[in-house]
């Protein structure tokens, strides 16, 4: 029974990540080539970060039965990375949301799947998106915590992003995770394609 609850939790993480990507305006404004490159990386990043935060926020790391179920599904090494990386998770929910948006568009060429093109058509577009979220994050930190604590928390964010990158790279070796990511990507691509068709129809009416 507990395994079923854990499975339900994991499904909700992937579904929520997919919804975030399908309704993300930044993705919609990228070229089709750039979108396909960023989408796969973004799906991994958003799933890993959101899942890790929810597990920390809900105190799931302290439940042995939960960790046992995660071990059975993803392996001990995956859980060990999660437990190690949790130290960098900020309790500020707003800051975490901004961090997820920032990391979603952090393209890292060493993390791409081999069958995916690595050449962005317009990397400036990606840089602009990253810069937008970096500025928002920094302004929020200054407003909420002041300069001294803002610097400390921003540094901690970079450590969390690095830790999540390690988790995301490892996750790409897990068949069950890759299958779920492929499903998110397929659904997102279909949604974006249908939206483009609707826009063309509206324009031609």
């Amino acid at each position: 029974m507990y395994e079923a609850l854990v499975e339900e939790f994991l499904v909700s993480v992937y579904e929520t990540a997919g919804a975030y990507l399908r309704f993300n305006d930044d993705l919609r404004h990228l070229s089709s080539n750039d979108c396909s490159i960023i989408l796969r990386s973004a799906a991994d990043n958003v799933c890993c970060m959101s899942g890790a935060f929810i597990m920390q926020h809900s105190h799931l790391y302290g439940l042995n039965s939960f960790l046992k179920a995660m071990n059975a599904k993803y392996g001990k090494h995956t859980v060990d990375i999660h437990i190690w990386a949790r130290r960098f998770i900020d309790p500020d929910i707003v800051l975490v949301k901004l961090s997820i948006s920032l990391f979603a568009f952090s393209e890292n060429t060493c993390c791409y799947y081999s069958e995916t093109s690595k050449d962005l058509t317009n990397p400036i577009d990606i840089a602009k998106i990253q810069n937008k979220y970096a500025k928002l994050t920094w302004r929020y930190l200054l407003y909420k915590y002041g300069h001294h604590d803002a610097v400390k928390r921003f540094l901690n964010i970079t450590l969390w992003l690095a830790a999540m990158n390690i988790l995301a790279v490892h996750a790409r070796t897990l068949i069950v995770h890759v299958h779920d990511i492929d499903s998110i990507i397929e659904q997102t691509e279909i949604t974006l394609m249908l939206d483009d068709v609707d826009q063309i129809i509206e324009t031609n009416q």
Side-chain angles (χ1 to χ4, degrees), residues 135-201:
K135 283 184 175 180
L136 282 172
T137 302
W138 179 243
R139 288 172 181 171
Y140 171 76
L141 285 170
L142 285 176
Y143 171 77
K144 183 78 179 287
Y145 299 104
H147 187 270
H148 179 72
D149 285 343
V151 172
K152 291 172 61 177
R153 285 178 178 266
F154 197 86
L155 174 60
N156 192 67
I157 288 173
T158 63
L159 294 174
W160 188 35
L161 298 186
M164 288 296 97
N165 191 58
I166 293 173
L167 177 61
V169 171
H170 169 70
R172 288 164 189 160
T173 67
L174 306 174
I175 295 177
V176 62
H177 170 76
V178 172
H179 173 75
D180 289 331
I181 291 297
D182 286 343
S183 178
I184 289 175
I185 293 171
E186 182 180 358
Q187 293 174 23
T188 303
E189 288 177 336
I190 291 174
T191 299
L192 295 177
M193 188 183 305
L194 291 176
D195 288 347
D196 287 342
V197 171
D198 289 340
Q199 187 174 4
I200 292 173
I201 293 175

Side-chain angles (χ1 to χ4, degrees), residues 21-67:
L21 294 172
R22 288 192 295 276
F23 294 101
N24 189 289
D25 283 337
D26 292 312
L27 270 179
R28 295 173 184 274
H29 290 92
L30 296 177
S31 67
S32 58
N33 178 70
D34 290 352
C35 184
S36 65
I37 294 174
I38 291 298
L39 182 56
R40 183 167 290 277
S41 180
D44 267 324
N45 296 340
V46 172
C47 284
C48 288
M49 287 192 77
S50 59
F53 172 73
I54 294 170
M55 289 164 64
Q56 173 76 352
H57 187 70
S58 303
H59 308 290
L60 296 179
Y61 288 111
L63 298 177
N64 289 331
S65 50
F66 175 81
L67 295 179

